[in-house]
Amino acid sequence: KLTYNYRGAAKQSTQAAIQGFQFFAERKYLDLNFEYAFSKRATFFLNGRNITNVPQDLVNVGINPGYAQLSRHEEFGVQWGLGIKGRF
């Protein structure tokens, strides 16, 4: 299963120094969930979060110029989980 996720811009706080506010910019990313049943009792699974490795940006908007709006750029990498589920 491939899942498309959209997270809209999220306001964090007001900033008096720039007469504006701070927010996380919108993000669009993909998640992957895969399962394969070997038998009734054993299933292999693979999960990937943010498989396109989309960064998260914290932006300041106010009287500051456009080139100074990016406050923080965060890259968390792709998060993978895999294993075998068993039923006893």
Side-chain angles (χ1 to χ4, degrees):
K1 176 174 147 181
L2 188 64
T3 308
Y4 170 79
N5 297 291
Y6 172 78
R7 179 179 171 188
K11 186 176 177 182
Q12 295 299 304
S13 62
T14 56
Q15 301 288 313
I18 60 168
Q19 299 174 10
F21 58 93
Q22 188 174 60
F23 69 95
F24 283 109
E26 71 174 16
R27 287 177 36 182
K28 300 172 186 173
Y29 57 95
L30 296 173
D31 291 344
L32 174 70
N33 296 306
F34 174 78
E35 288 189 359
Y36 178 76
F38 292 110
S39 67
K40 291 180 182 180
R41 294 184 174 229
T43 303
F44 169 79
F45 69 89
L46 172 69
N47 301 321
R49 183 171 180 196
N50 191 14
I51 62 173
T52 51
N53 197 21
V54 175
Q56 177 173 282
D57 293 333
L58 186 62
V59 180
N60 294 317
V61 175
I63 60 171
N64 55 327
Y67 63 83
Q69 289 185 352
L70 182 62
S71 174
R72 189 167 67 214
H73 178 83
E74 301 170 326
E75 291 187 26
F76 302 108
V78 181
Q79 299 168 0
W80 293 103
L82 64 103
I84 297 176
K85 294 190 279 188
R87 295 182 194 179
F88 302 97

